[in-house]
Amino acid sequence: TGSARDFLPERLSLPTLRSAAAGCHGCPLYRNATQTVFGAGPSSARLILVGEQPGNDEDIAGAPFVGPAGRVLDQALEQAGIARDDAYVTNVVKHFKWERRGSRRLHKKPSAREIGACLPWLEQEIELIRPQVLVCLGATAAQALLGRTFRVTTMRGQLIANDRVPHVLATVHPSSILRQPTSADRRAEMAKFTADLEVVAGVLN
Ligand code: URA
Ligand code: SF4
C-alpha cells in the first residue's frame, strides 16, 4: 500500500511540498475530497498548530481552519495573545474524509492507516519550519505525534519535551468546544482551551 512518501518532491521546501501534496494519491482519501488542504503560514513561524483533517469548509476553501472550528481557534488565540498570522497552521491528514447525511457532508474520523499514510507531509512541514512550539489540537494530532497511548485528558496544557521540537503541548480540538451541550459548558471549555494556549504564549514570549 502507498503513502505520501511516494509523492515527496526531490528538493524539499514548503512550496515544493505544497505543490507535490496537491497531487498526492498516497491513500484513498483524495478520491472524495475537493482538494488537498496543505498547511498555511510563514516558514519562519515559531509555532505550529496541528489539527486532525480539513472539514467541509476547508475542503472547499483549500485552507486549514477557516470554518466554525477555525473561528473558535481564532478567538482563543486572540484571547491568549497569539497572532494567528505568525503561526503555521496545518493538519495530520490533508484530505477531508466524510460521509453523506442527507444534503450534508459529515466529518468521519481518519483511520490509523490513513494517518500513517499522510504523516510524511506533516513530518516534512515540521522539519522545514523547525518551530519552537508545536500544539496538538485534539487526540488525533497528539497520538500521531506523541504515540497511541497519549491521553489529552490527563496531559493537556503541559509542556512536553520532544525530539522534533523543543516544546510540544497538547490540548483539545476546537470543535469539541462547539459540541458542548450548553453555552455554560462552551464557556467553561473555551476558558480551559484559552488557558492552554496562554501556556504556549508564555514559551513564545
Ligand atoms: N478541523 C481540523 O482538524 N482541521 C481543520 O482544518 C478544520 C477543522
Ligand atoms: Fe495523500 Fe494524505 Fe490525501 Fe491520503 S489524505 S491522498 S496521504 S494527502
Side-chain angles (χ1 to χ4, degrees):
T1 60
S3 90
R5 211 167 292 287
D6 307 329
F7 296 84
L8 290 178
E10 246 174 62
R11 201 179 61 79
L12 295 166
S13 70
L14 284 180
T16 62
L17 275 185
R18 166 184 287 277
S19 55
C24 184
H25 293 182
C27 81
L29 291 185
Y30 73 92
R31 289 191 195 141
N32 295 325
T34 307
Q35 57 191 318
T36 304
V37 179
F38 204 66
S43 60
S44 59
R46 296 173 66 223
L47 169 65
I48 298 191
L49 300 158
V50 184
E52 182 185 74
Q53 63 171 340
N56 180 71
D57 294 10
E58 289 79 15
D59 173 74
I60 293 162
F65 283 107
V66 296
R71 283 190 284 280
V72 172
L73 178 62
D74 288 350
Q75 202 188 330
L77 285 171
E78 196 188 324
Q79 282 176 34
I82 298 170
R84 172 164 169 169
D85 289 352
D86 293 344
Y88 186 87
V89 182
T90 191
N91 286 298
V92 174
V93 170
K94 269 44 175 182
H95 275 109
F96 178 37
K97 184 180 185 182
W98 56 279
E99 63 187 357
R100 184 161 295 288
R101 272 300 161 73
S103 64
R104 303 213 308 143
R105 301 191 300 171
L106 275 200
H107 160 276
K108 252 184 115 179
K109 252 191 173 326
S111 70
R113 171 174 288 187
E114 290 152 355
I115 290 166
C118 209
L119 208 52
W121 297 123
L122 177 60
E123 288 171 343
Q124 294 302 326
E125 288 172 295
I126 296 168
E127 185 75 20
L128 286 164
I129 292 168
R130 295 202 155 280
Q132 191 72 20
V133 193
L134 183 149
V135 173
C136 299
L137 298 168
T140 299
Q143 293 182 352
L145 292 168
L146 301 169
R148 296 291 298 276
T149 60
F150 187 91
R151 290 292 171 264
V152 171
T153 43
T154 57
M155 295 292 285
R156 71 177 292 178
Q158 298 186 39
L159 292 169
I160 305 159
N162 184 266
D163 51 4
R164 300 176 221 250
V165 182
H167 304 286
V168 176
L169 182 144
T171 184
V172 295
H173 194 285
S175 66
S176 71
I177 296 166
L178 293 169
R179 286 195 302 268
Q180 293 300 313
T182 69
S183 61
D185 291 327
R186 279 194 294 281
R187 258 198 312 281
E189 288 307 311
M190 188 63 173
K192 285 197 262 175
F193 184 47
T194 303
D196 290 346
L197 294 178
E198 280 167 353
V199 174
V200 173
V203 183
L204 287 170
N205 293 334

